[in-house]
């Protein structure tokens, strides 16, 4: 009888842990991999999209950035610099992502992105268009 009770408790605890893990981390599997955010000063809208879904941990991957001006037109020939990190852990990115291609229609390819652990991340975009500087800050959780 004692052995049956112990086995029942072990199965119950395992099932509860599995359910809790699914509830906590299952959302990550369906988390957004694209966002829209706006610049400071106002004037630009960025559409950010990971080209891998879900966003992987500890793997290099690429993002597509689309830049739209205040009139709703794609922005070509922008200079885009990306930095970031984990503010809660007080460290930057482990890599140095950079825009490697202009894809046309206001789209840019960002390569060298890698998030090495789950948690809150922040990406900072410094964008120069026609001698005007715009900044975009985007935070998200993995």
């Amino acid at each position: 009888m004692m052995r049956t009770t112990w086995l029942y408790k072990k199965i119950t605890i395992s099932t509860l842990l599995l359910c809790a893990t699914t509830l906590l981390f299952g959302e990550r599997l369906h988390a957004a991999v694209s966002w829209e955010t706006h610049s400071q000063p106002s004037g630009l809208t960025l559409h950010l999209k990971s080209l891998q879904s879900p966003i992987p941990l500890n793997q290099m991957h690429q993002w597509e950035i689309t830049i739209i001006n205040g009139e709703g037109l794609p922005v070509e020939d922008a200079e885009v610099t990306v930095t970031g990190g984990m503010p809660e852990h007080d460290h930057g990115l482990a890599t140095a992502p950079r825009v490697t291609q202009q894809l046309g229609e206001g789209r840019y390819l960002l390569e060298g992105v890698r998030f090495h652990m789950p948690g809150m991340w922040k990406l900072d975009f410094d964008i120069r268009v026609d001698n005007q500087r715009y900044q975009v800050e985007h935070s998200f959780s993995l």
Side-chain angles (χ1 to χ4, degrees), residues 37-40 46 123-127 134-138:
T37 188
H38 303 280
S39 68
Q40 292 296 323
L46 263 65
L123 292 177
D124 297 307
F125 298 85
D126 187 81
I127 303 163
Y134 299 90
Q135 293 179 311
V136 175
E137 189 177 289
H138 179 67

Side-chain angles (χ1 to χ4, degrees), residues 2-109:
M2 179 85 144
R3 186 173 235 181
T4 305
T5 303
W6 178 82
L7 183 59
Y8 176 75
K9 286 180 181 178
K10 188 174 181 179
I11 291 171
T12 302
I13 290 170
S14 297
T15 303
L16 289 172
L17 286 173
L18 180 62
C19 290
T21 302
T22 302
L23 287 173
L24 288 173
F25 299 107
E27 183 68 27
R28 182 181 311 149
L29 297 176
H30 302 289
V33 293
S34 64
W35 300 273
E36 178 179 294
T37 188
H38 303 280
S39 68
Q40 292 296 323
S42 63
L44 297 181
T45 299
L46 263 65
H47 298 274
L48 308 170
K49 179 174 76 172
S50 170
L51 297 183
Q52 200 167 346
S53 176
I55 295 174
L57 286 178
N58 240 351
Q59 291 180 22
M60 297 293 262
H61 61 283
Q62 303 169 325
W63 286 38
E64 184 179 288
I65 304 166
T66 303
I67 306 174
I68 305 296
N69 68 18
E71 298 167 358
L73 300 172
V75 174
E76 301 291 336
D77 301 318
E79 294 177 29
V80 181
T81 305
V82 181
T83 57
M86 294 186 87
E88 294 173 356
H89 291 254
D90 198 28
H91 66 73
L93 293 169
T95 61
R98 64 187 185 92
V99 170
T100 59
Q101 290 182 49
Q102 290 189 35
L103 303 172
E105 299 178 2
R107 297 176 304 123
Y108 299 81
L109 182 64

